[in-house]
Amino acid sequence: MSTAILTGPPVAGSPLEADLRTLGFDVRTANDPAAAAELINAVPAQERVAVVDPRFVGHLHALRLALTDPRYPAAAVPGVLTAQPAARAALARAVGRIPVGAGTAHLTDVLTDTLTESLDREETGLHRVELGSLVATVALTPAQREDAREAVAAVDDEAVRLRTAVKSRDGFFTTYGISPYSRYLARWCARRGLTPNQVTTASLLTALIAAGCAATGTRGGFVAAGFLLLFSFVLDCTDGQLARYSLQYSTMGAWLDATFDRAKEYAYYAGLALGAARGGDDVWALALGAMVLMTCRHVVDFSFNEANHDATANTSPTAAFSGKLDSVGWTVWVRRMIVLPIGERWAMIAVLTALTTPRIVFYALLIGCALAACYTTAGRVLRSLTRRARRTDRAAQALADLADSGPLAELIARSARGRGRTGSFLAPVMAFLSAAVLLVWVLAEDDPTSWLTVGVAVCSALLAGAAVARPLKGALDWLVPPFFRAGEYVTILVLAARVDVPGALPAAYGLVAAVAYHHYDTVYRIRGGTGAPPRWLVRATGGHEGRILVITVLAAALSPSGFTIALTALAVALALLVLIESIRFWVSSQAPAVHDEGEPA
């Protein structure tokens, strides 16, 4: 329940009260600041309260943006101020400070504006809504009211609402191939009371059915899988547009939207691999390679953004050149397509699934994603080397959390602390060597399932500990987590492939999927402002170096079939551990409502 308090001179015939009730507010009136303060204090502390000037004239959607967006503790447009429970105390203080008596009319004539300025000074997280072409104003005279009504009539707020439901920055295929009609599907869902989480779940189920169709291994199954994958992507766009259209943002929704995207894509890879196996073609190594490459690409994105999003003196000639290219329209779309975002990627997968074979799908995916990864990573390295930036402690902590170092690396880091200089290239060099030493060994050795590999894994752990011994504030320290991810994931892939027994690669696929979920979950918690998963969970999973050591020991100690069983058991145990803790956290989380509006994944 929410309460709107009208305070100011009444206006006969105004539709304002009806609009407020349409938005779910219980409307009350107050004749002066003292009465408004009394009403505000009477509203239960866990409810939203709004202060509205009866002379407000504007679009219903302007009111909706100010009054119902759950992402901000307080929000305002001219004539309207709302406060959620987190900002209620500040609003009560602001009302209590309004003076009475002679000479105070300028403070109470438009009380909402005075209260808005007061909350702004208190730094309560007040959000001043950007209205664009929408109208929201306080009409003090009949002439102003008539002008405002004409301005309202000149703009179709439903058209604005539909347009702003679409991400401001998206891929070419999504912008021109999906959003022109998915926004209307979002409106259809809103008018029938569907929630974004329900649409997100429908998208997941559709993708899982697509994966099942691909797993049949028949041409009809592959064609159906391609169509269903595209429809799943339409629903994936619709859920975010529905959230923006109806302002139904939530922490749970952001988590579901982000994690289900990965679950859908990686489940589809598995479906293609199963379908290929039915036709006598084993492409599990390609499927696992595609998942590893995609996950490492995302870690590069996450690490770079976390390292730089709050850096000071954050300038770069490379970034300036990129900004100049943005002024040339066609280069924007070319650069967005080069990185193979989710829309282009899924469209390519769907078409190739319907027309070709799983092996060709994975070849195209691996080549396209590898080129995209080289392009984006090279650009970010250039930006980092030419950027004059001072990175914060928060950024260093985020990178340390993304590194996912376990007890062994922590112990090594403590013993190495004080050596090396923060801000040098020591950390990325050590992380690179940690991954490279291990990968060169398992790739080049005739029998990597030996105790010598365990010794190499110990050396890799020593280098990993040295990499995180100092705060990660260097220009290229954001490369540390991607190097660790590549080292861990590719080692699992190679060891499973080299044992050469049925079931080893599917078991490795499940294990990498479970570990990757843990790493994605870490990212989304950091992005949501709730911090990384608890240290006990990281220690329980062993950290990246601990898992590598366990897997190399299992490969050396067990027979190939026993190693396959051990990988399966480890995958199940890790999946249950990280999923149960993650679901418990997100269901009970009190993190502020968010929705991912960033660059396409």
Side-chain angles (χ1 to χ4, degrees):
M1 187 63 184
S2 302
T3 301
I5 299 168
L6 293 174
T7 175
V11 177
S14 171
L16 180 60
E17 288 193 35
D19 287 346
L20 291 171
R21 291 191 175 94
T22 297
L23 296 177
F25 281 80
D26 177 29
V27 181
R28 305 180 189 180
T29 58
N31 296 325
D32 53 56
E38 185 176 342
L39 286 175
I40 289 172
N41 292 327
V43 176
Q46 70 274 17
E47 293 183 8
R48 177 194 292 266
V49 66
V51 182
V52 184
D53 194 301
R55 297 164 293 182
F56 172 87
V57 180
H59 287 101
L60 175 61
H61 192 50
L63 273 178
R64 183 181 289 108
L65 289 169
L67 295 177
T68 65
D69 195 327
R71 294 174 295 175
Y72 309 105
V77 296
V80 178
L81 172 67
T82 183
Q84 292 201 69
R88 284 284 305 278
L91 178 61
R93 289 194 299 272
V95 174
R97 285 196 294 265
I98 299 293
V100 297
T104 63
H106 67 288
L107 296 175
T108 58
D109 184 35
V110 185
L111 180 62
T112 52
D113 290 354
T114 301
L115 295 177
T116 298
E117 293 299 329
S118 182
L119 260 64
D120 212 2
R121 288 193 297 271
E122 285 205 29
E123 297 183 357
T124 57
L126 175 72
H127 172 63
R128 293 182 181 268
V129 178
E130 295 183 11
L131 293 172
S133 59
L134 296 175
V135 175
T137 187
V138 177
L140 302 178
T141 67
Q144 290 178 352
R145 176 168 292 275
E146 186 61 29
D147 290 343
R149 285 174 174 169
E150 290 179 2
V152 168
V155 176
D156 183 355
D157 70 337
E158 179 62 19
V160 173
R161 190 180 179 191
L162 275 172
R163 176 174 54 79
T164 55
V166 178
K167 267 186 178 182
S168 58
R169 178 182 174 88
D170 227 327
F172 182 86
F173 176 74
T174 305
T175 300
Y176 294 106
I178 304 295
S179 293
Y181 58 87
S182 62
R183 70 184 75 184
Y184 295 100
L185 179 58
R187 181 171 67 181
W188 183 89
C189 293
R191 291 177 175 177
R192 282 152 184 80
L194 298 177
T195 67
N197 290 354
Q198 290 170 334
V199 178
T200 301
T201 303
S203 176
L204 173 67
L205 293 175
T206 303
L208 293 179
I209 295 172
C213 291
T216 64
T218 63
R219 177 51 51 195
F222 288 144
V223 172
F227 279 110
L228 287 171
L229 185 65
L230 282 178
F231 183 59
S232 174
F233 182 65
V234 171
L235 293 176
D236 182 59
C237 296
T238 301
D239 64 0
Q241 292 165 0
L242 175 59
R244 288 181 284 274
Y245 180 85
S246 57
L247 300 180
Q248 296 183 74
Y249 301 100
S250 69
T251 302
M252 174 68 76
W255 172 64
L256 290 177
D257 185 53
T259 55
F260 280 11
D261 278 353
R262 305 286 79 80
K264 288 180 287 190
E265 187 165 0
Y266 298 158
Y268 191 82
Y269 293 174
L272 285 174
L274 288 169
R278 285 180 177 271
D281 189 12
D282 186 355
V283 296
W284 274 106
L286 296 177
L288 181 50
M291 181 167 65
V292 168
L293 180 55
M294 282 305 309
T295 305
C296 290
R297 270 193 66 191
H298 288 139
V299 173
V300 168
D301 296 341
F302 300 146
S303 296
F304 178 80
N305 291 334
E306 288 302 324
N308 292 287
H309 92 282
D310 59 354
T312 57
N314 200 0
T315 60
S316 164
T318 308
F321 177 70
S322 178
K324 289 181 180 179
L325 286 179
D326 285 342
S327 63
V328 184
W330 65 271
T331 67
V332 174
W333 292 118
V334 169
R335 288 186 295 143
R336 289 187 191 179
M337 293 173 69
I338 285 174
V339 301
L340 208 62
I342 188 170
E344 277 76 357
R345 191 167 68 248
W346 282 26
M348 180 187 75
I349 293 171
V351 171
L352 291 178
T353 298
L355 300 179
T356 64
T357 65
R359 181 172 290 274
I360 292 176
V361 173
F362 285 123
Y363 281 153
L365 188 62
L366 286 165
I367 293 170
C369 288
L371 292 174
C374 291
Y375 169 76
T376 55
T377 304
R380 285 166 179 170
V381 168
L382 283 175
R383 288 191 184 201
S384 299
L385 291 175
T386 59
R387 177 172 277 153
R388 296 186 180 91
R390 291 185 293 275
R391 290 167 178 83
T392 63
D393 292 337
R394 180 217 166 273
Q397 184 58 53
L399 291 180
D401 292 332
L402 291 174
D404 192 34
S405 300
L408 181 57
E410 285 182 336
L411 178 64
I412 297 167
R414 280 196 295 270
S415 65
R417 199 152 286 155
R419 303 172 189 175
R421 182 168 56 85
T422 299
S424 68
F425 296 122
L426 181 63
V429 168
M430 290 294 103
F432 171 77
L433 291 175
S434 172
V437 164
L438 186 60
L439 293 181
V440 169
W441 175 266
V442 296
L443 287 168
E445 181 65 16
D446 291 335
D447 181 19
T449 59
S450 67
W451 290 104
L452 285 175
T453 305
V454 177
V456 176
V458 172
C459 294
S460 175
L462 291 171
L463 293 167
V468 295
R470 304 286 293 174
L472 299 176
K473 293 185 177 182
L476 295 179
D477 284 1
W478 56 271
L479 287 169
V480 170
F483 282 144
F484 287 165
R485 295 297 79 76
E488 179 181 2
Y489 296 160
V490 178
T491 297
I492 296 172
L493 189 163
V494 173
L495 289 177
R498 297 293 290 275
V499 297
D500 196 24
V501 297
L505 280 168
Y509 192 94
L511 177 58
V512 172
V515 176
Y517 176 85
H518 167 60
H519 292 143
Y520 281 116
D521 189 51
T522 300
V523 170
Y524 301 137
R525 294 196 199 196
I526 294 172
R527 280 185 167 184
T530 58
R535 286 304 303 169
W536 70 261
L537 179 66
V538 177
R539 294 190 179 101
T541 61
H544 69 94
E545 81 290 346
R547 289 188 295 270
I548 289 174
L549 194 57
V550 167
I551 290 165
T552 55
V553 168
L554 292 174
L558 300 175
S559 65
S561 59
F563 179 59
T564 300
I565 295 171
L567 281 181
T568 304
L570 189 58
V572 172
L574 279 174
L576 288 174
L577 180 63
V578 298
L579 278 172
I580 290 172
E581 197 283 330
S582 175
I583 293 170
R584 180 209 61 78
F585 169 81
W586 287 104
V587 169
S588 62
S589 173
Q590 297 302 311
V594 295
H595 196 83
D596 183 12
E597 298 290 339
E599 296 182 5

